[in-house]
Amino acid sequence: MKICEFARSHFVTASPNTAVRELIDMLDIYQMPLIPVVDEERVVLGVVCSADIWNAFSKFEGACSTLSAHQIMSSPAVLLDECESMDSVRLAISR
């Protein structure tokens, strides 16, 4: 199995309505740097990373138990094909 096949079939995602507490658990359990937030058609809407969660805690003074992924995610997400060169990645990040 190729890495890209594994990632497509086993990659953890969140819905826009996923609670912040669940996002924290997902980042911890799966040891992932970020969680893609996808809609019903699995289109990536954005991503949530630990910095997004810290920013939410800071902005809402720790009272973010009612917040969900769509309220704290970074968007738009930069998406690249898994076969792209590192130069393409550097170019996308620099934009």
Side-chain angles (χ1 to χ4, degrees):
M1 177 181 273
K2 294 181 182 176
I3 293 173
C4 62
E5 293 168 342
F6 177 83
R8 285 191 185 131
S9 63
H10 296 91
F11 206 73
V12 175
T13 60
S15 77
N17 296 322
T18 302
V20 169
R21 178 73 243 167
E22 189 175 346
L23 293 167
I24 292 168
D25 290 343
M26 292 167 73
L27 288 167
D28 181 46
I29 291 167
Y30 298 107
Q31 294 295 296
M32 296 174 59
L34 56 86
I35 304 288
V37 179
V38 299
D39 65 13
E40 296 83 20
E41 289 82 36
R42 300 197 51 83
V43 173
V44 177
L45 305 173
V47 296
V48 174
C49 67
S50 58
D52 295 314
I53 294 169
W54 281 113
N55 289 340
F57 271 98
S58 175
K59 182 177 179 180
F60 297 99
E61 299 176 359
C64 59
S65 61
T66 61
L67 297 178
S68 56
H70 76 278
Q71 295 169 295
I72 69 165
M73 70 183 183
S74 297
S75 180
V78 176
L79 304 176
L80 299 171
D81 186 274
E82 67 269 10
C83 297
E84 292 284 342
S85 69
M86 287 307 293
D87 289 334
S88 296
V89 173
R90 286 186 199 96
L91 180 62
I93 292 171
S94 68
R95 291 183 188 162

